[in-house]
Amino acid sequence: MTIQDRSPEQIAGKPTSAARTTLSHIMTGSDTNLLGTVHGGVIMKLVDDVAGAVAGRHSGGPAVTASMDEMAFLEPVRVGDLVHVKAQVNWTGRSSMEVGVRVLAERWNESTPAVQVGSAYLVFAAVDENGKPRVVPPVLPETEKDRRRYQEAQIRRTHRLARRRAIKELRDARAAEGIED
Ligand SMILES: CCCCCCCCCCCCCCCC(=O)SCCNC(=O)CCNC(=O)[C@H](O)C(C)(C)COP(=O)(O)OP(=O)(O)OC[C@H]1O[C@@H](n2cnc3c(N)ncnc32)[C@H](O)[C@@H]1OP(=O)(O)O
């Protein structure tokens, strides 16, 4: 039996802290939008990068972004800010992992603590050399905060699946009625 024939429960789990990662970046003039603040897409790239690193670390190999949802921009980020993107695996399924990311900014011209400027939840699928999903080790939450994040991620997972199913049913029903759009 190879590891891929096993269920996640038959694989040794990994604690949340094993893959937790922070990526830091100083924002420059080339990161700005027309308003002069940092472009949301630049932040999203950092979020995807750190989440990919976390998913790769947790699963012990390559992982691809399956979805990114609830990307929230809470405060503008400015040129010169030192941005930290902090990520951890919140939840694991058979081959997918929900990664939670917090974005913090230290203002270069203020001696105040870093402020949270954004957050996001991403689903990554661990893949094999053929790009097919592979089994991941279950994440083992260590703290009460990890356990809360695990439970919240399960709620999001249930909603994602329900939404996907409902939309598919609607499209199938419209197609069955011969409606084209
Ligand atoms: C060794 C350590 C190294 C560490 C250091 C590494 C450093 C490295 C840093 C690099 C950091 C850059 C990271 C960038 C990452 C990209 O930019 S990747 C590029 C963008 N993404 C892609 O191209 C992915 C394209 N999509 C696909 O390939 C396929 O759709 C997928 C995602 C593999 C899924 O395949 P599928 O055939 O649909 O498989 P399926 O069994 O249905 O789904 C697999 C799992 O994914 C879930 N899933 C699928 N679609 C979705 C969805 N839309 N929403 C939610 N969940 C979904 C399913 O529910 C399922 O979950 P489980 O029940 O198994 O837990």
Side-chain angles (χ1 to χ4, degrees):
M1 184 193 263
T2 72
I3 194 166
Q4 290 311 307
D5 299 322
R6 298 183 196 169
S7 66
E9 296 73 37
Q10 293 172 302
I11 301 174
K14 275 194 186 176
T16 313
S17 58
R20 193 176 279 132
T21 303
T22 300
L23 193 135
S24 299
H25 187 78
I26 296 177
M27 295 298 158
T28 68
S30 62
D31 297 321
T32 57
N33 56 34
L34 290 173
L35 300 173
T37 57
V38 170
H39 205 291
V42 171
I43 305 289
M44 288 169 85
K45 168 81 166 63
L46 291 174
V47 165
D48 197 26
D49 281 348
V50 74
V54 165
R57 273 184 175 166
H58 180 83
S59 66
V64 294
T65 321
S67 73
M68 179 188 276
D69 59 20
E70 295 187 42
M71 177 77 228
F73 298 98
L74 307 171
E75 300 272 348
V77 177
R78 304 186 200 112
V79 171
D81 285 355
L82 174 57
V83 168
H84 308 282
V85 278
K86 295 172 176 267
Q88 69 174 56
V89 174
N90 284 341
W91 175 90
T92 48
R94 179 175 169 75
S95 64
S96 68
M97 299 154 271
E98 189 198 85
V99 180
V101 183
R102 288 195 310 132
V103 187
L104 305 166
E106 285 185 64
R107 308 299 189 185
W108 71 272
N109 54 351
E110 295 170 15
S111 52
T112 49
V115 286
Q116 183 167 350
V117 292
S119 62
Y121 300 103
L122 300 90
V123 177
F124 272 74
V127 291
D128 62 18
E129 58 281 5
N130 300 312
K132 297 291 172 214
R134 63 186 168 84
V135 175
V136 298
V139 70
L140 305 175
E142 295 166 288
T143 65
E144 273 313 313
K145 193 178 272 186
D146 295 338
R147 277 185 276 281
R148 172 179 59 75
R149 287 174 172 164
Y150 187 97
Q151 290 164 352
E152 291 177 0
Q154 277 182 310
I155 295 172
R156 281 187 293 274
R157 159 87 169 179
T158 304
H159 282 250
R160 277 186 207 108
L161 293 178
R163 187 179 54 192
R164 214 158 23 138
R165 200 168 40 243
I167 289 173
K168 184 175 182 314
E169 282 169 8
L170 174 73
R171 288 186 180 184
D172 290 348
R174 285 170 60 89
E177 286 176 42
I179 303 171
E180 284 184 25
D181 58 12

